[in-house]
Amino acid sequence: MNENQQQNNIYDHLAKLGSHLTEMGNELAALKSQLNLALAQNAELTIENRHLQEAIKKLRDQRGEQQLSTGRRTLNELYHQGFHVCRKHFGERLAPHESCIFCDEAIFSGLDKQNGGQD
């Protein structure tokens, strides 16, 4: 009887282990699905970010850097070399691919008024 109980315990233990493995497999599949979704979303956002950066660059170019005064052209060159030109962070390094709306404001503010309010 003792040997029979021992065999039953082993089978019970194997059944529990099998059940746990099945649960872990299901959890792993769910995590893989979530990871794939996150990676796809990340890829979409990366592409969208690149397109937005290109659009911003085109708008800056269209705004006419030639219309900038000498001082603002100098600020613009510093900004494109990777330095902040805004009051808040003046002289600090920009992170790679970082843009700063305050720097844009410092460089391009007042251009619309100079051009008669036309964009």
Side-chain angles (χ1 to χ4, degrees), residues 53-68 76 80 104 108 111:
Q53 287 178 352
E54 289 171 4
I56 288 170
K57 185 180 182 319
K58 285 180 184 178
L59 285 174
R60 283 182 187 152
D61 292 344
Q62 287 175 355
R63 246 180 153 171
E65 292 182 14
Q66 67 275 11
Q67 296 174 1
L68 296 175
N76 196 28
H80 286 292
D104 283 341
F108 295 107
L111 277 186

Side-chain angles (χ1 to χ4, degrees), residues 38-88:
L39 290 174
Q41 189 177 27
N42 185 34
E44 288 177 27
L45 291 172
T46 300
I47 291 168
E48 183 179 352
N49 187 20
R50 189 177 316 125
H51 287 226
L52 289 172
Q53 287 178 352
E54 289 171 4
I56 288 170
K57 185 180 182 319
K58 285 180 184 178
L59 285 174
R60 283 182 187 152
D61 292 344
Q62 287 175 355
R63 246 180 153 171
E65 292 182 14
Q66 67 275 11
Q67 296 174 1
L68 296 175
S69 67
T70 305
R72 289 182 191 246
R73 271 192 226 129
T74 303
L75 289 176
N76 196 28
E77 287 174 23
L78 286 171
Y79 180 69
H80 286 292
Q81 290 173 7
F83 295 96
H84 279 280
V85 295
C86 60
R87 287 182 180 205
K88 186 173 184 177

Side-chain angles (χ1 to χ4, degrees), residues 94-105:
L94 287 158
H97 306 292
E98 178 187 11
S99 60
C100 175
I101 195 165
F102 301 115
C103 290
D104 283 341
E105 173 87 17

